Amino acid sequence: MVKEGDKVTLTCSTTCSLSNNPTYIWYRNSQPVNDLHATDNRLDIDSVSIEDAGAYSCAVKGHEIHSSHGINLNVRYGPRNTSASAHPSGEPVEGSSITLTCSSDANPPVHNYTWYRENEHHSTPVGWSQNYSLVDISSEQSGLYYCEAENVIGQNRSSVLQINLTYAPRNTLVSVSPSGDIEEGSSVTVTCSSDANPPVHNYTWYRRKHGSESTWIRQRQTYSITNVSTEHSGLYYCKAENKHGASQSNTTFLDVLYSPRMTSASLVPSGDLQEGDSVTLTCSSDANPPVYNYTWYRKTGDETALLGTGRMPNLTLNLVPGMDGLYHCEAWNKVGLKNSTALQACTAQYSLVPWGPSWL
């Protein structure tokens, strides 16, 4: 048994009577050997290689018609030129099937194939035959694969083969920046993100307001709004598309906060009032978030008096002498606390002129 790298000596002998110092001729596959070292009746190969394999014979010069029978030099070697291939080729689609094939040049033939999946820090064996099939392939099976071929002489591994699985967009999400409260007059950006291979080539934004049908906004991954107003409030969602399909995100509510506005005061009962009557002043205001504090004032001449403050919009008074004047309320929420101009603009006043209300 000869393996690659061994030293091999072939000897030619004859039973014929020959003159002194005969010259021997060596043949490989019926062709004269000129590239090997031949001494007398010996042919020495110091490090045999696969190129040296073949059928050898010899003859005495001048008697070439009486050449020897051939002897086959079978050079064994470990696997080499090992390669991994995928069938069908190209980028598989999620849910399809693919077969990986390992091929190698070896003598004797490969008797053991092992498939590995290469992870970040190590490799994991996944198959033990020349062909390794991935059926109903999922994205978790994407990655780098290689095979190792082994015979009795040695083993050899292939280069890595990348399995790049393609799939339609999924896990499509909407994110809002900055996060937290969105106040009227500020700026906000909504971003659509999606897991897809190949990457998403088209993003579409939609808005739905007050139970109405969805309205197309724009086609871009991000949608930025400067100087946000209440008109921008609503449910937002996006759709992500690539060549394999589309995916829609859940809706995200864009809630625009604003300080109290259109604040007004009302009086119940209205009409003629008499001393001793009980009246209720009510403060109403449009605000988001809702008003959490109401404050009532009475102005008499140049003096303004605080009548009360609290979470309830109502102020009940029993009419007694000296209560005539101008009454107004202020409505506060957490946005309004940051904007004194808005607070000062929310007054509506009544005058109690002996016991009769009138608009100013």
Side-chain angles (χ1 to χ4, degrees), residues 301-322:
D302 294 331
E303 296 183 359
T304 300
L306 173 67
L307 298 180
T309 184
R311 293 183 178 273
M312 300 303 293
N314 302 321
L315 176 66
T316 300
L317 301 173
N318 292 317
L319 300 184
V320 296

Side-chain angles (χ1 to χ4, degrees), residues 92-158:
V93 180
E94 188 172 37
S96 64
S97 297
I98 187 172
T99 297
L100 308 183
T101 299
C102 188
S103 58
S104 185
D105 175 24
N107 185 24
V110 173
H111 69 263
N112 188 49
Y113 293 93
T114 305
W115 281 96
Y116 295 88
R117 183 178 180 190
E118 194 171 84
N119 299 312
E120 185 175 356
H121 301 295
H122 64 281
S123 296
T124 304
V126 293
W128 290 267
S129 62
Q130 186 173 10
N131 297 318
Y132 175 55
S133 294
L134 300 171
V135 180
D136 192 18
I137 191 170
S138 66
S139 58
E140 288 74 18
Q141 294 171 295
S142 291
L144 300 175
Y145 291 80
Y146 68 88
C147 65
E148 186 177 79
E150 182 180 8
N151 68 1
V152 294
I153 307 298
Q155 62 274 334
N156 181 241
R157 59 166 284 182
S158 70

Side-chain angles (χ1 to χ4, degrees), residues 20 27 62 86 90 96 106 140 164 184 200 217 227 230 288 296 323 325 334:
N20 292 332
Y27 301 91
S96 64
E140 288 74 18
N164 184 26
E184 191 172 36
V200 173
I217 300 176
N227 195 21
T230 55
N288 187 26
W296 284 95
M323 290 186 60
K334 67 177 183 178

Side-chain angles (χ1 to χ4, degrees), residues 11-18 22 24 41 58-60 63 66-68:
T11 302
C12 187
S13 61
T14 180
T15 58
C16 298
S17 298
L18 303 172
Y24 291 87
N41 65 334
C58 62
V60 177
H63 302 276
H66 301 297
S67 63
S68 69

Side-chain angles (χ1 to χ4, degrees), residues 4 63-64 87 92 121 150 153 160 163 167 174 188 190 199 211 227 230 252 266 290 298 305 309 332:
E4 198 168 29
H63 302 276
E64 290 85 353
H87 306 278
H121 301 295
E150 182 180 8
I153 307 298
V160 294
I163 302 301
Y167 47 91
V174 171
V188 67
V190 287
N227 195 21
T230 55
T252 297
S266 61
R298 182 182 69 184
T309 184
W332 300 62

